Amino acid sequence: MLNIVLFGPPGAGKGTQSAKLIEKYQLVHLSTGDILRSEIAAGTALGLEAKKKMDQGILVPDEVVIGMIGSKLDTNKEARGFIFDGFPRTAAQAEALDNLLAQKETAITMMLALEVEDQELIKRLLLRGKESGRPDDADEKVIANRIHVYNTQTAPLKDFYTKQNKFRSVYGIGDIDEIFKNLVSKIEA
Ligand code: B4P
């Protein structure tokens, strides 16, 4: 199985590049952000709870997102592989993911990280906020908080995957198709 963690700060292009990787490799896309937003749209108790956190730019509790990923893995038993987009975001989530995959006798193949400077992230997210109305993209203070949460809680996961010799990094500014080519060359190296 090909199991990829697509990694990077908010606005780095994870969702954008996931769509292209899924098409090329026929993988199942698991985006915790998308799953949470669909819970919000459906008005579930989980969605209402998650919305409070997401609107402030802070992380939803580990047990909630780990449970969501566990049940998605169970409902996609025939998958050729997975793209984990926006998950894991904390050390506890990374450890839980390794355990969930080990139970299925598989493992993460690699972490692909998109490297983008803060100024560009802010520019992209404010633009998306204007176009989509996503509340967490509309306010510069919330965006700054998401970048801070990424730097403090999520960026350390680079070490987690480096220790497993699975960390690969790609520069994420420039033409979307060029960035995609660079990701593919890391997968196929
Ligand atoms: P996510 O939905 O994961 O949000 P994101 O990181 O902002 O999105 P993404 O990174 O996919 O956006 P993309 O770069 O593709 O999370 C939202 C919230 O959900 C979190 O703050 C948290 O509260 C919660 N959450 C999610 N997962 C969680 C977890 N595991 N644990 C706890 N909480 C969790 O796109 C950004 C924009 O850039 C787009 O408009 C795109 O068109 C543009 N873009 C992309 N590539 C470009 C390029 N090369 N050039 C120019 N623009 C580009």
Side-chain angles (χ1 to χ4, degrees), residues 1-3 25-28 78-82:
M1 278 175 99
L2 178 62
N3 296 313
Y25 294 105
Q26 311 285 299
L27 304 172
V28 173
E78 305 306 317
R80 298 166 66 152
F82 294 92

Side-chain angles (χ1 to χ4, degrees), residues 94-109:
E95 278 158 24
L97 180 59
D98 274 359
N99 292 332
L100 285 169
L101 293 176
Q103 284 165 25
K104 302 194 179 305
E105 295 177 355
T106 184
I108 290 298
T109 313

Side-chain angles (χ1 to χ4, degrees), residues 93-133:
Q93 292 179 21
E95 278 158 24
L97 180 59
D98 274 359
N99 292 332
L100 285 169
L101 293 176
Q103 284 165 25
K104 302 194 179 305
E105 295 177 355
T106 184
I108 290 298
T109 313
M110 69 180 69
M111 167 185 265
L112 287 172
L114 289 163
E115 310 282 355
V116 177
E117 287 88 8
D118 288 0
Q119 276 317 101
E120 172 74 11
L121 300 174
I122 295 164
K123 200 174 91 190
R124 286 183 191 179
L125 293 175
L126 286 173
L127 182 69
R128 185 170 65 182
K130 273 196 204 130
E131 287 166 356
S132 72

Side-chain angles (χ1 to χ4, degrees), residues 5 7 30-31 42 68 84 124 166 174:
V5 171
F7 189 74
L30 296 183
S31 157
M68 284 178 352
F84 298 94
R124 286 183 191 179
K166 291 179 178 173

Side-chain angles (χ1 to χ4, degrees), residues 11-16 32 37 54 58 60 86 89 93 128 146 174:
K14 301 185 292 285
T16 306
T32 38
R37 280 185 289 278
M54 291 165 79
I58 56 180
V60 173
R89 267 175 151 99
Q93 292 179 21
R128 185 170 65 182
R146 285 159 64 196

